[in-house]
């Protein structure tokens, strides 16, 4: 069964941007969709991409920064308001299950009204939420196998995911510095979607009272544009897709991203854009 990757959001950082939507990816296999990360606006991005809400089978969160999880609950709630019947499996690092329970409480008023007024099914019953504790296979059905690995994104626990389908394999790095665990997870994958940061251009982000602290976090928790190609080469992937661009605004010219990554990678190289299909 043919699969495809849809880049629903390629922006990095929590501030909403005109140029890019927040981090979100869809792996589509036949009539089933598997979401990895669900930043702000992901439901509307699915609509723009023409992906049916009732196709969602699983939602995985790489880590609990708001640009990756802000709309995880909202996506499923709005999909349920449309035509989602479930079941849907959701997963992420702890305390994902607690976060999900808090969203159920938040959405309870609307859900209860629609169950009576519109005859909709039980929202809570159709979604399973689990905390990923150990790396390895964390979800499997007849279309995909999803494997998780811990990556380095201090100070919080963070995961990368590999999605193996019948015809292709996809790896979503989430946020991470270069690390061996990601290279092993991505070994021989067809497509690696990797975060990227252009260090010479981050100074505009630092014009604030906590600028030095933010700079330390960015350097210690992310991957530079000149390092990302080497990661893809070490993993032996076929295609490297740059995403989660930092800074996203003001935008760095696409040629700069590609030239930096090309220094370490000779394979197919793509500068991701929102709604791009790979």
């Amino acid at each position: 069964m043919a699969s495809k990757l849809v880049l629903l959001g390629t922006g990095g950082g929590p501030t909403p941007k005109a140029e890019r939507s927040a981090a979100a990816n869809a792996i589509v296999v036949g009539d089933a969709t598997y979401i990895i990360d669900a930043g702000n606006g992901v439901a509307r991005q699915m609509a723009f991409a023409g992906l049916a809400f009732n196709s969602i089978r699983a939602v995985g969160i790489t880590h609990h920064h708001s640009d990756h999880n802000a709309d995880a609950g909202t996506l499923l709630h709005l999909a349920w308001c449309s035509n989602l019947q479930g079941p849907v499996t959701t997963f992420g690092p702890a305390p994902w299950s607690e976060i999900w329970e808090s969203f159920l409480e938040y959405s309870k008023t609307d859900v209860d009204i629609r169950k009576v007024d519109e005859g909709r099914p039980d929202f809570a019953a159709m979604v399973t939420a689990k905390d990923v504790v150990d790396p390895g296979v964390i979800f499997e059905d007849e279309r995909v196998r999803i494997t998780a690995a811990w990556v380095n994104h201090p100070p919080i626990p963070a995961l990368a995911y590999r999605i193996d389908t019948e015809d292709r394999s996809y790896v979503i790095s989430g946020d991470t510095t270069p690390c061996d665990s990601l290279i092993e997870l991505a070994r021989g994958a067809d497509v690696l979607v990797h975060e990227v940061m252009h260090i010479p251009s981050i100074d505009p982000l630092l014009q604030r009272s906590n600028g030095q602290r933010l700079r330390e976090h960015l350097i210690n928790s992310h991957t530079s544009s000149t390092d990302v190609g080497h990661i893809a080469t070490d993993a032996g992937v076929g295609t490297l897709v740059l995403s989660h661009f930092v800074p996203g605004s003001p935008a760095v010219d696409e040629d700069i991203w590609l030239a930096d990554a090309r220094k370490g990678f000779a394979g197919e190289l793509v500068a991701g854009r929102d709604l791009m299909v790979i």
Side-chain angles (χ1 to χ4, degrees):
M1 191 177 297
S3 66
K4 64 182 179 181
L5 166 70
V6 184
L7 304 178
L8 295 176
T10 58
T15 305
K17 301 165 184 66
E19 301 89 349
R20 297 179 185 274
S21 194
N25 306 275
I27 292 86
V28 182
V29 186
D31 62 355
T33 300
Y34 306 83
I35 301 291
I36 302 296
D37 279 334
N40 175 245
V42 60
R44 193 159 189 249
Q45 292 297 94
M46 279 193 70
F48 280 132
L51 300 178
F53 291 116
N54 63 357
S55 70
I56 300 172
R57 299 291 179 269
V59 176
I61 303 301
T62 59
H63 66 288
H64 298 305
H65 273 149
S66 53
D67 51 325
H68 294 257
N69 74 357
D71 274 6
T74 300
L75 168 62
L76 293 175
H77 182 192
L78 297 180
W80 173 83
C81 289
S82 175
N83 56 12
L84 181 65
Q85 298 290 311
V88 178
T89 300
T90 67
F91 45 85
W96 168 245
S97 58
E98 293 179 22
I99 293 171
W100 176 249
E101 288 300 319
S102 70
F103 183 81
L104 290 178
E105 185 61 29
Y106 164 80
S107 61
K108 185 176 186 300
T109 299
D110 180 80
V111 167
D112 286 349
I113 290 169
R114 293 185 189 278
K115 283 165 64 177
V116 174
D117 247 11
E118 303 171 15
R120 298 198 177 276
D122 187 351
F123 178 50
M126 73 168 56
V127 180
T128 301
K130 66 177 183 177
D131 296 330
V132 177
V133 176
D134 298 314
V137 177
I138 46 87
F139 177 85
E140 193 165 12
D141 66 11
E142 70 279 7
R143 292 179 174 87
V144 304
R145 181 176 67 253
I146 302 179
T147 307
W150 295 112
V151 292
N152 186 49
H153 186 56
I156 61 175
L159 294 162
Y161 294 110
R162 177 175 180 138
I163 303 90
D164 286 291
T165 73
E166 184 176 85
D167 65 331
R168 298 169 91 194
S169 51
Y170 309 87
V171 175
I172 311 296
S173 74
D175 285 5
T176 182
T177 63
C179 62
D180 291 342
S181 56
L182 175 63
I183 291 170
E184 288 306 312
L185 181 72
R187 184 77 63 194
D190 293 291
V191 179
L192 168 62
V193 181
H194 203 294
E195 67 127 280
V196 67
M197 177 174 66
H198 189 248
I199 293 176
S201 299
I202 63 175
D203 285 346
L205 299 176
L206 309 177
Q207 304 306 310
R208 57 184 75 176
S209 60
N210 64 338
Q212 184 57 37
R213 181 105 177 246
L214 176 58
R215 181 181 179 85
E216 291 173 1
H217 164 73
L218 292 173
I219 297 297
N220 293 332
S221 303
H222 294 278
T223 298
S224 75
S225 53
T226 53
D227 285 339
V228 68
H230 298 286
I231 295 168
T233 295
D234 289 346
V237 303
T239 299
L240 171 60
V241 180
L242 307 180
S243 190
H244 193 274
F245 293 91
V246 175
S249 181
V252 176
D253 190 85
E254 185 174 290
D255 289 342
I256 295 175
W257 295 113
L258 293 172
D260 278 4
R262 179 58 73 196
K263 294 173 183 176
F265 183 65
E268 183 177 354
L269 179 61
V270 178
R273 300 188 189 118
D274 288 6
L275 304 180
M276 181 179 282
V277 179
I278 295 170

